[in-house]
Amino acid sequence: MNTFNALVVREAEAGNPKSAAASIEQLTDADLPVYDGEETVVVDIDYSSLNYKDGMALTGKGRIIRSFPMVPGIDFAGTVVSSESDRFAEGDGVILTGWAVGERFWGGYSQRQRVKADWLVARPVGLTSEQAMGIGTAGLTSMLCVLGLEAGGVTPDDGPVVVTGAAGGVGSVAIAILAKLGYEVTAVTGRPEEHDYLRSLGASVFLTRAEMSEDPKPLETETWAGAVDAVGSTMLAKIIAQTKYQGVVTACGLAGGVDLPSSVMPFILRGVRLQGIDSVMAPTADREAAWARLATDLPGDMLATMTEIVPMSSLPEQGDAIMAGQTRGRIVVDPNA
């Protein structure tokens, strides 16, 4: 029987919370989850990635894991081994993001996985598995944000756009895409040492986390034609107060908190639009459109500069780092290293 390695989180023993720590285990195909009544696909995983949710799962913060044992990893790219679906055949390159994988269902921190066929999309031609996970859930979310700005009519001629959490996964990819499309990008970061990195991605103006976290007035000087926000809370409220007439703010994260201390004034006096972005349950058609754009609109050389590849065995330490805000860009996980 085929054996493979996976990172498994098991439920803590009573009175011993440290016993829930993730560890590499050797599994067999018989251990893979079964989805009764659903068409499934078995995938040999080439790469996964590290996202904020993965950090929560690995560190036990936020209680994101819904059942045990759990194989975390909210995304992966790989090659089909076997398929019960007419959509996929052996040898096809596929990508999975979202659908509560790595939270409720076994995810990408494994050399092999069985998943529902409906959760997969075909990997675009010209995009490798490594590149796909260099993009990953964070990059897909970034592209959905960009599509949200475009759907709202925001163009490069309308003025600058602002990206928060700029050095993180969502922020890095968003900056690279927006700059490639011709937008003037302002980056908000609490790490001034990352300015050169962000400038290389296309950011031209920088604001500090501190100044963008000050309590906003109901309306402030009109500055932004659009925004990509991965922080939430006071920073999102400040951006809304500074957004130009009929500007669009896309919100996709809560690194700074779940509250929103804003007012209705930007919405009723300036026609500002707040567009929520969800990549977890996004329809397949939206995912396919976003991946097609990512294959053309995200420069491959820039993707390489924002990507670091780590072995699966390093994930416990990487989880601590991403929760502490110490990672840069995209962390790609190699389960076969």
Side-chain angles (χ1 to χ4, degrees):
M1 182 175 292
N2 184 70
T3 61
F4 54 88
N5 291 327
L7 187 82
V8 182
V9 179
R10 296 192 177 274
E11 191 167 13
E13 300 168 0
N16 182 16
K18 291 184 178 180
S19 65
S23 62
I24 302 292
E25 297 185 18
Q26 190 172 81
L27 306 179
T28 70
D29 287 352
D31 295 312
L32 292 174
V34 176
Y35 300 95
D36 292 332
E38 301 278 357
E39 292 183 340
T40 60
V41 178
V42 177
V43 180
D44 274 345
I45 296 176
D46 299 322
Y47 295 96
S48 183
S49 76
L50 179 72
N51 300 275
Y52 192 80
K53 278 187 177 181
D54 298 317
M56 295 173 71
L58 291 166
T59 60
K61 297 177 180 177
R63 299 185 179 182
I64 198 167
I65 293 178
R66 310 293 178 84
S67 63
F68 296 92
M70 176 58 63
V71 175
I74 67 172
D75 54 24
F76 66 73
T79 304
V80 173
V81 175
S82 61
S83 173
E84 298 175 347
S85 169
D86 292 339
R87 293 178 57 217
F88 303 106
E90 181 181 352
D92 286 352
V94 292
I95 302 170
L96 185 149
T97 62
W99 303 114
V101 167
E103 303 173 57
R104 294 176 55 202
F105 309 104
W106 281 21
Y109 294 163
S110 177
Q111 293 176 312
R112 176 170 286 198
Q113 195 55 269
R114 180 185 288 120
V115 296
K116 296 181 185 181
D118 287 346
W119 293 343
L120 297 170
V121 297
R123 177 161 46 84
V125 174
L127 200 65
T128 67
S129 287
E130 180 183 326
Q131 290 172 323
M133 283 299 98
I135 296 167
T137 296
L140 175 66
T141 304
S142 300
M143 190 73 243
L144 291 171
C145 288
V146 173
L147 293 174
L149 294 177
E150 292 179 344
V154 179
T155 71
D157 293 335
D158 292 329
V161 295
V162 62
V163 177
T164 69
V170 171
S172 294
V173 178
I175 289 169
I177 295 170
L178 290 165
K180 167 86 177 322
L181 295 173
Y183 291 87
E184 177 188 339
V185 182
T186 293
V188 181
T189 180
R191 294 182 279 170
E193 67 274 14
E194 300 291 5
H195 285 187
D196 287 344
Y197 161 70
L198 296 171
R199 191 175 289 108
S200 74
L201 299 180
S204 56
V205 179
F206 301 94
L207 296 173
T208 68
R209 181 189 301 158
E211 64 187 304
M212 290 301 289
S213 297
E214 296 172 353
D215 290 338
K217 301 173 183 177
L219 287 174
E220 298 195 1
T221 301
E222 294 182 64
T223 307
W224 317 116
V228 175
D229 176 68
V231 176
S233 192
T234 303
M235 190 175 297
L236 175 56
K238 194 169 189 68
I239 286 170
I240 291 170
Q242 295 176 347
T243 298
K244 292 183 175 183
Y245 189 81
Q246 292 195 334
V248 178
V249 178
T250 57
C252 64
L254 44 68
V258 299
D259 60 321
L260 182 57
S262 184
S263 78
V264 300
M265 293 180 67
F267 306 108
I268 64 174
L269 297 181
R270 291 180 179 167
V272 170
R273 283 158 288 178
L274 177 60
Q275 175 66 58
I277 300 297
D278 167 55
S279 66
V280 176
M281 304 300 291
T284 298
D286 292 351
R287 296 169 186 266
E288 291 174 339
W291 279 109
R293 285 286 299 274
L294 283 160
T296 59
D297 290 355
L298 179 59
D301 56 344
M302 288 189 181
L303 179 60
T305 65
M306 70 176 78
T307 301
E308 177 186 359
I309 300 177
V310 302
M312 187 164 65
S313 59
S314 73
L315 280 171
E317 294 77 22
Q318 295 289 343
D320 289 334
I322 197 169
M323 294 305 294
Q326 295 170 349
T327 59
R328 168 205 278 188
R330 297 284 298 137
I331 306 296
V332 172
V333 178
D334 185 350
N336 303 297

